[in-house]
């Protein structure tokens, strides 16, 4: 039983290329440049003195011609490389240095059918001095012909002419070809000239300095031109085991956590993509890479990198180098690093809440407000063996002076993700014995009470309790430093103390007393009065009961303010009444 060959519908293949392989018809020019570049590299392998030239010409009739001084094609190679779909993508001469090549001659040439119905190739092989110039003409109906060219080439190399269909002329317009040629080939080391009817002289569109080979100033200029922002820092990237080299640009805007814009990737100087997300870790949302992908393999479309263990290894090494680069940035440019933290601190905290790699960065570099001033967690852990943190801005404001006086360290963890980060530091970094959540009630209970027999200090206690009872607040007398803190308000969890100053709705509702929680079981806020404070001690000498009551109310309001509580209308009236009484008493009037 004899076998039969598959019949290939070239139009169907082109449709597949258009809708499923390539992202845009623009790739036709990239494929032509890649094939030309590979042919030149291949010839240099057998003749180091051979010319290294590629030229692109835009003709007035809607055609693009790409010429190279490469190795050329024999008739056999034309049949096997240009006309056989699925054949080896490289000639035998290429296999010795395969990783130096970019394109795939067969499927790459087919991409030209995305915009044309006819492709003409003239080629002269460099294998022998008397090799003829051959003409290969392919049509989108699946037919091709090979003949001796009527007009021979002057030397070895290849010329490809693509005549665009009328509906696809936009892809061969001079301005579009110029834009695409610069996009794809600007970093190729071979000189590539572009000539169109509007240009008096050909323009070199390649051999630009890659951002990873120039100075930081040149890299910054490249970033601004290509990516549209002025980077806060430029960090080097180098993974020699994979031939990967590049730079990382730290963005000057916050961006969105977990949403990377993507990186610009080249392969041997040829542009691959500007939205690649395979090489940088997810936590590096504030970084944009520009890299030469070296030995990493490309997909069939050459618009992304093949997923592989090598990719994972490179990604891990790039993550390590980014962290090291940020560490160096912090040490070498403190001012620039402060700008970096101003822009990205919130996002870094958000990532660190779930990523241990980012947690290392946070510990080393993110500044935190503490009772001893602003410092990093690394500095905090070196400074103190007793680190407490609070998720309440109110508690931090109220208690920071007290802990500072006792030489204990309180960290303000009230910012977004702050308490989550500090919990991770305690639980996952082996600091459980040194880092703990701050308990305001336990702290107050630890403060010393007035000494027994301190009648002077307790002389106003009965009066103070009576005044505070009307405000729904308990009194707690303590002796603590600093003496400049006369009172400290501590709210009861889940209870709004200000409701005591509002209209008494319970009296208007006869059922309120039966349905509400018993008074004795309710948690109540408390006002801690510092008996070492001159203001508190002075209350003992006040004989006027009204002045004394208003002074106690004033200490209550001071306690609220020190705790960062928001004063409502009733508090304002209370403060106004207190000031009026004290001013009147000081003046001796009524």
């Amino acid at each position: 039983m004899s076998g039969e060959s598959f019949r290939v519908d070239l139009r169907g293949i082109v449709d597949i290329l258009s809708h499923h392989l390539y992202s845009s018809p623009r790739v036709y020019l990239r494929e032509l440049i890649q094939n030309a570049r590979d042919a030149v590299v291949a010839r240099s392998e057998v003749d180091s003195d051979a010319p290294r030239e590629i030229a692109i010409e835009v003709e007035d009739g809607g055609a693009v011609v790409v010429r190279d001084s490469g190795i050329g094609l024999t008739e056999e190679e034309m049949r096997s490389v240009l006309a056989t779909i699925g054949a080896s993508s490289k000639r035998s001469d290429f296999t010795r240095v395969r990783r130096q090549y970019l394109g795939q001659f067969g499927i790459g040439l087919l991409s030209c059918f995305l915009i044309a119905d006819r492709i003409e190739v003239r080629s002269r092989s460099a294998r022998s001095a008397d090799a003829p110039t051959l003409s290969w003409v392919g049509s989108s109906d699946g037919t091709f012909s090979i003949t001796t060219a009527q007009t021979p080439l002057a030397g070895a190399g290849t010329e490809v002419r693509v005549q665009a269909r009328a509906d696809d002329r936009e892809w061969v317009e001079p301005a579009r070809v110029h834009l695409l040629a610069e996009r794809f080939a600007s970093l190729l080391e071979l000189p590539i000239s572009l000539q169109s009817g509007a240009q008096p002289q050909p323009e070199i569109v390649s051999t630009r300095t890659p951002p990873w080979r120039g100075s930081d100033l040149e890299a910054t200029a490249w970033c601004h031109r290509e990516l549209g922002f002025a980077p806060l820092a430029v960090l080097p990237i180098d993974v020699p085991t994979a031939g990967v080299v590049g730079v990382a640009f730290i963005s000057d805007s916050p961006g969105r956590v977990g949403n990377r814009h993507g990186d610009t990737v080249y392969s041997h100087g040829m542009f691959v993509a500007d939205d690649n997300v395979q090489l940088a870790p997810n936590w590096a949302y504030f970084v944009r890479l520009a890299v030469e992908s070296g030995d990493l393999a490309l997909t069939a479309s050459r618009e992304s990198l093949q997923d592989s263990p090598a990719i994972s290894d490179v990604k891990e090494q790039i993550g390590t180098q980014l962290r090291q680069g940020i560490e160096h940035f912090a040490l070498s440019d403190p001012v620039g690093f402060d700008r970096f933290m101003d822009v990205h601190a919130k996002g870094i905290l958000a990532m660190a809440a779930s990523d241990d790699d980012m947690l290392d960065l946070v510990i080393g570099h993110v500044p935190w407000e503490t009772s001893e001033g602003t410092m990093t967690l690394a500095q905090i852990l070196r400074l103190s063996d007793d680190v407490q943190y609070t998720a309440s801005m109110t508690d931090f404001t109220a208690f920071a002076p007290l802990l500072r006086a006792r030489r204990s360290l309180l960290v303000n963890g009230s910012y977004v993700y702050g308490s989550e980060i500090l919990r991770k530091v305690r639980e996952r970094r082996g600091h459980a014995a040194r880092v703990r959540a701050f308990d305001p009630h336990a702290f107050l209970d630890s403060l010393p009470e007035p000494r027994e027999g301190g009648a002077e200090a307790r002389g106003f206690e009965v009066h103070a309790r009576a005044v505070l009872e009307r405000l729904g607040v308990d009194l707690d007398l303590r002796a603590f430093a600093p003496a400049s803190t006369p009172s400290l308000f501590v709210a009861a969890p889940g209870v709004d103390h200000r409701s005591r100053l509002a209209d008494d709705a319970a009296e208007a509702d006869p059922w309120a007393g039966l349905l509400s929680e018993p008074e004795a079981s309710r948690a109540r806020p408390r006002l801690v009065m510092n008996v070492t404070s001159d203001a508190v001690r002075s209350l003992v000498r006040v004989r006027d009961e009204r002045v004394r009551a208003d002074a106690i109310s004033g200490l209550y309001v001071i306690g609220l303010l020190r705790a960062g509580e928001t004063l409502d209308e009733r508090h304002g009236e209370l403060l106004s009444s207190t000031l009026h009484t004290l001013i009147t008493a000081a003046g001796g009037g009524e």
Side-chain angles (χ1 to χ4, degrees):
M1 182 177 179
S2 61
E4 296 186 33
S5 299
F6 284 103
R7 297 171 63 186
V8 177
D9 181 355
L10 186 56
R11 292 185 183 274
I13 293 295
V14 171
D15 184 68
I16 291 174
L17 296 180
S18 174
H19 292 93
H20 301 287
L21 182 63
Y22 295 120
S23 62
S24 164
R26 68 176 187 167
V27 299
Y28 85 92
L29 187 61
R30 184 197 65 196
E31 297 291 344
L32 292 177
I33 295 172
Q34 285 180 165
N35 286 345
R37 179 264 184 193
D38 285 354
V40 171
V41 171
R43 185 176 179 183
S44 68
E45 287 295 313
V46 297
D47 181 3
S48 59
D49 296 326
R52 298 166 60 86
E53 299 170 352
I54 298 174
I56 304 171
E57 181 180 353
V58 182
E59 296 182 345
D60 292 336
V64 169
V65 180
V66 178
R67 302 181 180 90
D68 68 67
S69 60
I71 198 167
L73 295 167
T74 64
E75 181 175 348
E76 179 183 354
E77 288 168 339
M78 279 187 167
R79 294 182 185 278
S80 63
V81 174
L82 301 185
T84 306
I85 299 172
S88 173
S89 62
K90 291 289 171 265
R91 289 162 275 192
S92 59
D93 300 84
F94 291 8
T95 57
R96 288 174 297 151
V97 285
R98 183 180 181 87
R99 73 179 190 177
Q100 297 185 32
Y101 300 99
L102 298 170
Q104 300 182 50
F105 270 70
I107 199 168
L109 193 63
L110 284 180
S111 68
C112 294
F113 285 123
L114 296 176
I115 66 164
D117 290 324
R118 177 184 173 90
I119 303 171
E120 301 175 24
V121 178
R122 285 196 303 156
S123 189
R124 179 177 173 181
S125 175
R127 296 179 185 279
S128 60
D130 58 351
T133 298
L134 301 175
S135 173
W136 180 97
V137 179
S139 300
S140 58
D141 62 4
T143 62
F144 71 92
S145 63
I146 299 176
T147 60
T148 300
Q150 293 182 355
T151 305
L153 297 175
T158 299
E159 174 188 282
V160 181
R161 186 177 186 275
V162 179
Q163 177 70 51
R165 290 185 293 264
D167 292 343
D168 293 298
R169 286 286 183 90
E170 61 179 298
W171 297 106
V172 296
E173 291 177 353
R176 177 67 66 88
V177 173
H178 184 277
L179 181 67
L180 294 179
E182 281 200 326
R183 184 58 162 165
F184 292 130
S186 63
L187 301 190
L188 285 177
E189 295 183 350
L190 290 176
I192 300 176
S193 65
L194 173 64
Q195 174 74 59
S196 67
Q199 291 175 297
Q201 296 293 330
E203 177 185 353
I204 300 298
V205 295
S206 60
T207 65
R208 309 287 168 79
T209 301
W212 51 87
R213 289 186 182 169
S215 65
D216 281 356
L217 188 61
E218 290 172 317
T220 296
W222 185 94
C223 179
H224 192 273
R225 182 177 64 253
E226 299 293 333
L227 304 182
F229 67 90
L232 299 177
V234 180
L235 310 179
I237 297 296
D238 187 12
V239 187
T241 55
V244 174
V245 63
V247 288
F249 301 106
I250 295 181
S251 174
D252 62 348
S253 59
R256 292 175 56 192
V257 175
N259 182 27
R260 298 195 69 249
H261 286 287
D263 303 314
T264 303
V265 176
Y266 296 84
S267 180
H268 303 288
M270 179 67 75
F271 172 80
V272 174
D274 57 8
D275 58 356
N276 183 276
V277 293
Q278 297 170 280
L279 296 178
N282 291 334
W283 59 259
Y285 73 95
F286 50 86
V287 165
R288 300 282 298 276
L289 301 180
V291 296
E292 162 57 52
S293 60
D295 300 335
L296 297 178
L298 301 178
T299 59
S301 69
R302 269 89 72 208
E303 294 181 301
S304 63
L305 301 169
Q306 291 183 20
D307 287 325
S308 66
I311 286 277
S312 299
D313 181 60
V314 168
K315 183 175 183 177
E316 182 178 352
Q317 292 191 55
I318 287 178
T320 299
Q321 292 181 19
L322 288 176
R323 288 193 297 273
Q324 292 172 345
I326 293 171
E327 295 272 356
H328 178 73
F329 178 35
L331 295 174
S332 62
D333 186 2
V335 175
F337 189 78
D338 286 345
R339 290 176 56 215
F340 164 65
M341 294 309 306
D342 287 343
V343 174
H344 297 294
K346 184 180 292 186
I348 289 173
L349 289 175
M351 295 298 291
S354 59
D355 190 291
D356 284 342
D357 290 335
M358 286 298 287
L359 184 59
D360 291 332
L361 181 64
V362 167
I363 290 174
H365 298 293
V366 174
W368 296 74
E369 185 181 14
T370 79
S371 55
E372 296 293 340
T374 301
M375 61 185 79
T376 66
L377 289 176
Q379 293 170 325
I380 290 168
L381 294 170
R382 287 196 297 267
L383 180 66
S384 176
D385 289 329
D386 179 25
V387 178
Q388 300 182 65
Y389 65 90
T390 176
S392 166
M393 186 66 180
T394 297
D395 284 349
F396 180 80
T397 302
F399 289 99
L402 279 65
L403 271 77
R404 182 166 57 247
R406 300 183 73 177
R407 296 188 176 180
S408 291
L409 199 146
L410 182 64
V411 180
N412 183 7
S414 68
Y415 303 107
V416 179
Y417 302 105
S419 58
E420 291 93 328
I421 299 298
L422 291 162
R423 257 199 313 273
K424 286 191 68 174
V425 171
R426 180 188 67 194
E427 296 171 358
R428 301 186 185 184
R429 296 287 164 174
H431 299 306
R434 303 173 57 198
V435 181
R436 56 193 172 97
F438 176 69
D439 184 342
H441 296 281
F443 176 78
L444 290 175
D445 291 340
S446 72
L447 294 176
E449 298 182 358
R451 293 191 301 271
E452 293 185 10
E456 180 182 357
R458 294 185 178 275
F460 63 92
E461 183 175 1
V462 175
H463 303 286
R465 288 191 185 281
V467 172
L468 294 177
E469 181 64 29
R470 292 195 297 270
L471 299 172
V473 179
D474 289 335
L475 174 66
D476 192 353
L477 293 181
R478 299 283 172 169
F480 57 87
S484 58
T485 302
S487 60
L488 194 65
F489 176 82
V490 185
V495 175
D496 185 359
H497 68 283
R498 287 170 289 190
S499 63
R500 290 306 193 97
L501 297 177
D503 294 336
D504 192 356
E507 290 185 2
D509 182 2
W511 295 97
L514 295 175
L515 300 178
S516 62
E517 187 180 0
E519 181 72 20
S521 66
R522 288 182 183 175
R524 302 212 317 173
R526 55 175 164 168
L527 186 71
V528 180
M529 287 193 177
N530 184 5
V531 299
T532 68
S533 166
D534 290 339
V536 174
R537 297 169 69 88
S538 296
L539 288 175
V540 178
R541 298 189 291 274
V542 176
R543 300 305 177 189
D544 188 310
E545 291 188 7
R546 182 180 176 185
V547 172
R548 183 165 53 202
D550 279 358
I552 292 169
S553 297
L555 289 174
Y556 163 69
V557 175
I558 290 174
L560 290 174
L561 291 172
R562 293 188 69 90
E565 294 284 341
T566 302
L567 302 188
D568 60 20
E569 183 179 352
R570 292 285 183 146
H571 291 132
E573 294 175 357
L574 188 63
L575 181 60
S576 178
S577 174
T578 297
L579 289 174
H580 178 267
T581 299
L582 296 178
I583 292 171
T584 300
E590 291 297 328

